[in-house]
């Protein structure tokens, strides 16, 4: 079970729908209100709006096999467009508060591994192919069947692991926790702030904003997370105006005391016409001829596995946070949710912004009380506005947005008590699922390791009949996934 929404301790009693809109989205039936949905949509947007800036930096910073780069403004505009449309589609079809945008990790795979072997159009064509394959798996019922085959307590572990993953992302993005360079000859991979000290103004903004938000959460203040984000952004703007801190990189030179990504200053030109020139610039056949069928198949397999299970984990985590899962740990309209997610993958490739997928940051909106697709309408509309107001979107720094990730991480962590830690057959796989997500920075890695160990442990105990037949196939696929490095070296 998840904790109650942050606006008060008791959700309203479900009653009669007030109108057709209410009936369709089940706002009253799920114990929500329009104000909660709006607050949830706002919180989700400001928690994940960074993707409009970060995706162009990742894709635009790489060259394809012809040494060509994508236009940064075009990537930003297309990223916001697809995120807005797919998030709204998720709200209307899936009716679930799960926002969709370009997936981190997958975009890096496309930029630094796939594109250098072919053209950008060819690479994006592979993303389209992968999205179509996942859509077929959803329509045939296979993806949903795999999801249902995972034991309920393992699904709980997935949600808890994602909560810890979000916490680490938030702490790292805010500069509170940093990677210690290898040149320092230390065995400690991470440390506090800079040299073990909190000495930067941006980190102070994060700390003060986090303390404020935690106090508001404890006092059950309505919109606690949203207030924390807005308040921290205002403080960040004041600090930047007085101290002229600047970004973390200035002309390629590191500035450790700078803002992690966005510098919180009001832009001189807040409105800009979006460049949508990348829409439709993909090629589904060129990669096969350019890179060879074996290379292409390995790339598609890697994309498929990552998208296939990341969304499942995210869906469980968000549903778990809002107490929206049934006894089997499945959210309502699971098939529709997975179908929209697969369409998002193909749409991202078609728009040259990489695969779009469900965002676990949606849990920030759920923590604000969102329970339906109405929140998605708000988040999606803001993404569409971001095409024109991109300069305003970048006013919110990581140090302010990351507050929500840490708070939501705590809320999701509370479900760990429902796992039976005295039963080693489930506790050990659950433990590995939980810890490997933050430690490897990958949802799929945690799910894969946990399911493989679950199957191995059950077989070792002579309980093969307790394993769902589909889990054998899933575990085998994950073995190939983890061994894809040696496999590629052997066959390519």
């Amino acid at each position: 079970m998840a904790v109650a929404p942050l606006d008060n301790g008791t959700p309203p009693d479900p009653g009669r729908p007030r109108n057709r809109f209410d009936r369709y989205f089940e706002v009253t039936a799920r114990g929500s209100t329009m104000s909660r949905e709006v607050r949830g949509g706002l919180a989700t947007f400001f928690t994940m709006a960074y993707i409009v800036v970060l995706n162009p930096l990742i894709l635009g910073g790489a060259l394809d096999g012809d040494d060509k780069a994508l236009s940064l403004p075009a990537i930003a505009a297309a990223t916001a467009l697809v995120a807005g449309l797919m998030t709204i589609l998720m709200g209307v079809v899936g009716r679930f508060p799960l926002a969709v945008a370009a997936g981190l990790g997958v975009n890096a795979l496309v930029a630094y591994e796939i594109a250098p072997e072919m053209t950008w159009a060819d690479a994006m064509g592979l993303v389209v192919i992968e999205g179509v394959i996942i859509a077929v798996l959803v329509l045939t019922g296979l993806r949903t069947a795999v999801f249902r085959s995972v034991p309920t307590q393992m699904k709980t572990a997935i949600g808890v692991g994602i909560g810890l993953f979000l916490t680490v992302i938030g702490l790292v993005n805010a500069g509170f926790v940093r990677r210690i360079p290898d040149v320092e000859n230390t065995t400690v991979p991470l440390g506090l702030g800079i040299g073990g000290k909190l000495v930067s103004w941006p980190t102070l903004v994060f700390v003060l904003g986090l303390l404020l938000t935690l106090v508001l959460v404890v006092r059950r203040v309505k919109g606690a997370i949203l207030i924390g984000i807005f308040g921290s952004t205002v403080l960040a703007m004041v600090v930047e105006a007085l101290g002229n801190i600047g970004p973390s990189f200035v002309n390629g030179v590191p500035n450790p005391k700078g803002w992690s990504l966005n510098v919180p200053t009001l832009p001189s030109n807040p409105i800009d016409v979006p460049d949508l020139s990348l829409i439709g610039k993909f090629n589904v056949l060129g990669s096969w001829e350019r890179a060879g069928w074996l290379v292409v198949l390995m790339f598609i397999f890697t994309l498929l596995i990552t998208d296939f299970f990341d969304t499942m984990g995210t869906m469980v985590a968000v549903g778990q946070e809002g107490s929206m899962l049934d006894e089997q740990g499945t959210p309502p309209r699971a098939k529709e949710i997975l179908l929209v997610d697969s369409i998002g993958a193909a749409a991202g490739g078609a728009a040259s912004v990489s695969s779009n997928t469900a965002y676990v940051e949606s849990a920030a909106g759920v923590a604000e009380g969102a329970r339906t697709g109405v929140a998605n309408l708000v988040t999606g509309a803001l993404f569409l506005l971001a095409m024109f107001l991109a300069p305003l979107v970048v006013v919110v720094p990581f140090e302010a947005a990351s507050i929500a990730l840490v708070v939501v991480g705590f809320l999701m962590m509370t479900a760990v008590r429902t796992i039976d830690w005295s039963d080693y057959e489930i506790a050990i796989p659950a433990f590995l699922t939980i810890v490997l997500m933050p430690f490897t920075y990958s949802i799929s890695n945690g799910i894969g390791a946990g399911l493989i160990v679950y199957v191995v442990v059950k077989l070792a105990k002579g309980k093969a009949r307790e394993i769902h037949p589909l889990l054998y196939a899933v575990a085998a696929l994950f073995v190939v996934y983890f061994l894809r490095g040696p496999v590629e070296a052997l066959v390519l």
Side-chain angles (χ1 to χ4, degrees):
M1 291 181 62
V3 298
L6 295 180
D7 47 2
N8 56 53
T10 306
D13 292 331
R16 279 187 172 185
R18 298 175 182 175
N19 48 49
R20 291 184 180 180
F21 185 88
D22 189 336
R23 183 181 301 109
Y24 180 82
F25 285 101
E26 301 175 324
V27 177
T28 302
R30 294 189 188 179
S32 186
T33 63
M34 288 301 296
S35 62
R36 284 184 176 181
E37 297 300 316
V38 172
R39 285 204 314 272
L42 287 169
T44 295
F45 173 75
F46 285 109
T47 307
M48 58 183 286
Y50 65 84
I51 193 61
V52 178
V53 178
L54 190 55
N55 198 44
L57 294 180
I58 293 173
L59 293 178
L63 300 175
D64 66 7
D66 293 338
D67 292 329
K68 294 182 178 179
L70 297 176
S71 163
L72 293 184
I75 300 172
T79 297
L81 174 64
V82 178
L85 294 177
M86 289 300 105
T87 296
I88 291 173
L89 185 64
M90 180 68 79
V92 173
V93 177
R95 306 179 207 174
F96 195 71
L98 196 61
V100 179
L104 291 174
V106 175
N107 56 4
L109 173 66
V110 171
Y112 301 114
E113 293 188 40
I114 298 179
E117 299 292 331
M118 54 196 76
T119 67
W120 281 112
D122 296 338
M124 295 303 171
L126 292 187
V127 177
V128 172
I129 293 172
E130 175 254 337
V132 171
I133 292 174
I134 291 185
V136 171
L137 294 177
V138 174
L139 293 174
T140 57
L142 181 59
R143 195 179 187 188
T144 307
V146 170
F147 175 76
R148 294 183 184 279
S149 70
V150 178
T152 301
Q153 290 194 63
M154 285 296 292
K155 290 177 183 176
T156 300
I158 289 170
V160 173
I162 290 177
L164 287 179
F165 184 31
L166 278 179
T167 301
V168 171
I169 291 174
L171 294 175
V172 171
N173 286 352
F176 189 86
V177 172
R178 303 185 185 223
R179 177 180 176 274
I180 298 176
D182 295 335
V183 295
E184 293 188 12
N185 261 341
T186 177
T187 57
V188 180
L190 297 174
L192 178 69
I194 302 172
K197 302 175 183 177
L198 301 177
V199 294
S200 71
W201 285 107
T203 303
L204 178 62
V205 168
F206 166 76
V207 171
L208 293 178
L210 179 61
L211 289 175
L212 168 65
T213 307
L214 292 176
V215 169
L216 296 176
V217 168
V218 171
R219 294 180 64 86
R220 300 284 185 181
V221 174
K222 292 183 178 181
I225 292 177
L226 207 53
I227 293 173
I229 293 175
F230 284 154
S232 300
T233 300
V234 172
L235 176 60
M237 293 173 66
V238 172
V239 169
E240 176 61 24
L242 295 177
N244 194 25
I245 309 299
S248 56
F249 278 87
V250 180
N251 297 323
V253 178
N255 174 25
K257 296 183 180 181
W259 302 99
S260 296
L261 180 63
N262 299 337
V263 178
T265 57
L266 284 176
S268 57
N269 183 21
I271 301 177
D272 199 4
V273 177
D275 177 359
L276 300 178
S277 59
L278 290 178
I279 305 296
K281 296 296 179 67
F282 67 97
N283 184 356
V284 297
L285 299 177
S287 57
W288 301 85
E289 184 176 331
R290 179 78 177 258
W293 66 272
L294 198 53
V295 173
V296 169
L297 287 179
M298 288 302 299
F299 282 147
I300 292 176
F301 174 75
T302 303
L303 288 169
L304 190 67
I305 289 292
T306 302
D307 266 353
F308 193 99
F309 289 97
D310 268 19
T311 300
M312 287 187 178
T314 300
M315 188 169 67
V316 169
V318 173
Q320 183 173 289
E321 169 59 26
S323 299
M324 294 180 284
L325 305 180
D326 61 21
E327 294 179 355
Q328 287 72 46
T330 303
R333 302 179 66 81
K335 183 175 181 178
E336 288 82 356
I337 293 171
L338 294 173
L339 179 60
V340 174
D341 180 80
S342 62
I343 294 173
S352 300
V353 295
S354 182
S355 174
N356 272 232
T357 187
Y359 259 58
V360 72
E361 283 90 341
S362 304
V366 173
E368 281 291 353
R371 295 293 182 272
T372 76
V374 176
N376 278 38
L377 304 184
V378 176
T379 304
L382 290 173
F383 267 119
L384 295 180
L385 284 175
M387 288 194 299
F388 302 90
L389 303 174
L392 284 179
V393 172
V394 302
V395 170
V396 182
F398 261 178
E399 289 77 6
S402 296
I403 291 167
L405 302 184
V406 176
V407 174
V408 170
F410 155 71
L411 296 174
M412 295 171 68
M413 180 70 188
T414 60
V416 74
R417 66 184 182 276
T418 64
I419 298 174
D420 184 1
W421 295 103
S422 64
D423 181 3
Y424 284 9
E425 293 176 26
I426 194 69
I428 292 175
F431 168 75
L432 291 175
T433 299
I434 291 170
V435 299
L436 286 180
M437 285 188 194
F439 291 162
T440 66
Y441 247 62
S442 168
I443 294 173
S444 292
N445 287 349
I447 294 175
L451 292 181
I452 289 173
V453 172
Y454 175 80
V455 170
V456 170
V457 168
K458 286 293 185 182
L459 289 176
K461 291 282 290 185
K463 298 181 179 180
R465 292 184 179 180
E466 294 184 11
I467 304 173
H468 193 287
L470 280 175
L471 283 189
Y472 287 110
V474 171
L477 286 174
F478 267 117
V479 169
V480 175
Y481 171 76
F482 284 122
L483 296 178
R484 66 187 186 281
V487 171
E488 289 174 357
L490 182 66
V491 301
L492 299 184

